[in-house]
Amino acid sequence: MSSKENFKILVVDDEPEARESMEMLLSCAKYSVTVAASAQEALNTLEKEYYPLVITDIMMPGIDGISFLQKIKTIYKEEIEVIMLTAYGSIETAVQTIKMGAFGYFIKGNNPEELLLEIKKAKTMLDLKQTKQQQMLGNAGRFLLNSKNAKMQEVWDMVDEVAKSNANVLIMGETGVGKEIVAQRIHQQSHRADKLFIPINCQNYPDKLIESELFGHEKGAFTGAVTKRIGKIESGNGGTIFLDEIGEMELSTQVTLLRVLETKQIERIGSNRLIDVDFRLVSATNRDLYQAVKEGRFREDFLYRVNTIEIRIPPLRERREDIPDLITFFLEKFQKETGKRIEKISPETERFLLEYEYEGNIREMKNIIERLVILSRDGVLRLDHGFAKVKSIVDTDYMDTALSYKEAKQAFEIHYIQEMLLAYENNISRTAEKMGISRRQLFNKITEYQINTKK
């Protein structure tokens, strides 16, 4: 099985013939290809599904290739690589786009093998990034094992015991508590450790796409299925499948996956051939699935199938004794990554970091400290303008004002959400990810506070 079949490429070109020939070339090379006729169509596609590589023409009506590149790098940064398509007369422009963040460029009319080689280089680099991220996640997991909190240490003890079995595990806890780190630990301590750990965020896929992602599909199975695709479960055969945000899974998909868990067989969409699979399922959610069952939004039989073993992770506010060590860990991490050296933390910043509630838990702490390190000057970590309201909240003089704690907290949340939305061009998915909360949580806050998200 070629890993190419799991590598998705989005091709953007306003010329139908160019799209068709590019789609044919890449499909024959065993890549999973989707095409778009404009940059706006491509941006809409990226909102719904992740593509690690985009290949785009430079000369297009409406949003041209250069503006499109700028939008991708602003919204997705290094998570998506871009290869520019250009004619001979625009080579100088294509070279300039590399300075703007493009991975490379391909001259239309040249040997297609040059483009395939460029794609191979991009895929190799993205694979290396993913490996590094997994290693970082593993390093964080090893650090977090040293919790000073009794409840959290009980979790780790339970994880080590559960890992020895083959039982399905359901990890429950608020957004950002480290559910994937726990899932990784279960995999690393199991007899499947030498096989793949494949994470799938159920929230990231539209209703019908999740089944294609899980089970794969045959060529022509549905509109847009231009080539056969191997699903994540089949790719992870022998390893561990981690379904994050399983509470967002549609009822119809729950029925299908329940049957897979019972039979250990899958069918690709558009096929009637059964394929044997062997995998360990670890799931995670921040929702109350028992309440969801009562409300008819989650199947009871599916719930009891996925939670043979249930692990609940306490939120950070219930293990505040871990906060100082976590702050130290993330400070060291981001100093190494940014090359900046922090010699001193201002008193108000230290006080804020130690006393803040961290509703987004460890993920929110990570994002806050990363931002503070990036914006630090002269070796001093201090609250920046994005946390202007925090100064009021943590300052004792603030107690003399008429605002209650609830009102102060609300004022900060509104300001913080507005700042983050502005930074990520009102992209709710990206903003939620950087804030360390789910898209649903952010949307609820926007609705609650009536925040304007129009550009």
Side-chain angles (χ1 to χ4, degrees), residues 205-257:
Y205 299 95
D207 297 349
K208 299 302 179 184
L209 284 179
I210 184 67
E211 292 196 18
S212 174
E213 192 72 14
L214 290 172
F215 312 122
H217 62 250
E218 297 293 339
K219 181 178 180 180
F222 51 84
T223 303
V226 296
T227 184
K228 181 178 74 174
R229 176 174 182 162
I230 304 298
K232 292 290 182 70
I233 291 179
E234 191 176 346
S235 299
N237 195 29
T240 300
I241 303 295
F242 174 56
L243 293 181
D244 198 7
E245 304 291 356
I246 195 172
E248 308 301 323
M249 184 176 285
E250 292 294 310
L251 289 169
S252 59
T253 306
Q254 293 175 33
V255 173
T256 306
L257 187 54

Side-chain angles (χ1 to χ4, degrees), residues 2 18 90 122 124 154 185 199 203 220 230 247 252 264 314-315 317 326 350 361-362 366 411 424 426 435:
S2 170
S90 304
T124 299
E154 285 177 9
R185 176 71 178 179
Q203 195 177 40
I230 304 298
S252 59
K264 292 296 181 182
R317 63 183 172 275
L326 286 167
E350 183 175 12
N361 294 290
I362 297 173
K366 170 182 172 290
Y424 295 100
N426 287 336
M435 287 175 63

Side-chain angles (χ1 to χ4, degrees), residues 442-455:
L442 176 56
F443 183 78
N444 289 342
K445 288 289 185 184
I446 290 171
T447 303
E448 178 186 352
Y449 296 141
Q450 297 181 335
I451 296 173
N452 185 7
T453 59
K454 294 181 180 179
K455 296 183 180 181

